[in-house]
Amino acid sequence: MPVTAASTTAATTLTARALLLDMDGTLVDSGPAVERVWRAWALEHGLDGDQVLQVVHGRQGFASMAILLPDRPMEQNIEENARMLVLETVDTEGVTAIGGAADFLAALSLGGLPHALVTSADDALARARMGAAGLALPPVAVTAEHVTRSKPDPEGFLLGASLLGVAPADCLVFEDSEAGVAAGLAAGMRVIGVGAATTGYGATVSVDTLDQVTVTATASGTLTLTVTP
C-alpha cells in the first residue's frame, strides 16, 4: 500500500506501514557538540568553520570531508572520520531531545508500531547521544556500520525498510537535513521534515516539533499520522 497524503487547512494526514527516523536534528539536538568538533576540524585544516557546518549536517563525516577536501584520498577521510567519531561520542554536553521526541518515541514503542532509527552516526555515537537526550534507542537501528554509502544516498533508508519487512513506498521518513530529505525521497518514500528549512528541501510536509505529529494504528497495520499546523 503506497504512502498517501491528504491535506486540509487544519491538518495533513499521511498513511504508512512503518516509520524511519533520523537522529541528529530530528530526535536529538546535538548542534553544540557537532559545532565544537567540526569547527576544531575546520581550524586544523584552514577552512572556514561556517562553510564547513553548512556541509556536514546529515552526512557521514568521511563524505563531508570528501566534499570539503576533494583532492584528499578517501582512505585518509575514513581514518580521520573514525577519530572524530570517538571525539563526538565523548562530547555530549548540551545534547538534548528535540521537542516532542520523547513522547513520540514512547507512543511508538507502547503501541508496538514499526519504526527504525536510520542515522549517519555509528552505533556508539547513536547510543551516546540518544542516552544523553534521555531517549530510548529503537530496537531496529541502521547506523554507519551497516551501510557503505552516506546520505543523500538512499541505502540506509532502504535497509531500514528491509529490516522492518516493509516496502519502501510504505515507509515514511522523518528528517531535518537536506541530505537526509534527499535520501528519503530517493528511496521512494515520503518525508516529514523537522524544521522550517525542510520545506525548501522538498519534504512532503514540515513541522517545527514532533509535538505536531500524532500516530495511530488500524487493525490492518496501517499507521495514520496526523500533522497539525
Side-chain angles (χ1 to χ4, degrees):
M1 178 197 68
V3 180
T4 60
S7 297
T8 70
T9 56
T12 299
T13 300
L14 302 104
T15 59
R17 290 194 178 277
L19 309 181
L20 302 176
L21 315 173
D22 173 53
M23 181 180 71
D24 293 301
T26 300
L27 299 174
V28 172
D29 180 0
S30 57
V34 171
E35 184 166 344
R36 283 191 294 271
V37 171
W38 279 100
R39 282 194 182 279
W41 181 87
L43 183 63
E44 179 181 347
H45 292 281
L47 300 174
D48 180 84
D50 291 338
Q51 293 180 357
V52 167
L53 290 173
Q54 289 177 5
V55 171
V56 301
H57 292 295
R59 294 181 172 87
Q60 290 194 45
F62 71 84
S64 297
M65 293 172 187
I67 294 172
L68 294 162
L69 298 174
D71 296 328
R72 197 166 76 159
M74 184 58 75
E75 293 78 7
Q76 190 173 347
N77 294 334
I78 292 172
E79 179 182 341
E80 195 162 61
N81 181 47
R83 177 176 63 83
M84 289 186 67
L85 282 169
V86 173
L87 296 176
E88 289 183 286
T89 300
V90 298
D91 184 357
T92 57
E93 182 180 353
V95 173
T96 59
I98 293 289
D103 289 342
F104 184 73
L105 285 174
L108 297 181
S109 179
L110 184 63
L113 307 182
H115 65 287
L117 189 74
V118 181
T119 175
S120 294
D122 66 2
D123 181 74
L125 181 56
R127 291 180 183 278
R129 286 187 175 161
M130 291 288 282
L135 301 175
L137 194 72
V140 177
V142 176
T143 58
E145 296 92 339
H146 301 121
V147 297
T148 59
R149 297 179 297 277
S150 172
K151 299 172 186 177
D153 190 279
E155 181 184 5
F157 287 124
L158 292 173
L159 177 57
S162 177
L163 292 173
L164 292 174
V166 177
D170 294 335
C171 293
L172 187 60
V173 168
F174 284 73
E175 264 287 358
D176 74 297
S177 71
E178 185 172 10
V181 172
L185 295 175
M189 303 170 184
R190 293 196 179 182
V191 180
I192 292 183
V194 180
T198 58
T199 299
Y201 303 156
T204 308
V205 62
S206 297
V207 299
D208 294 320
T209 74
L210 294 173
D211 288 318
Q212 296 169 248
V213 184
T214 302
V215 186
T216 57
T218 67
S220 66
T222 301
L223 307 181
T224 300
L225 291 87
T226 302
V227 182
T228 57

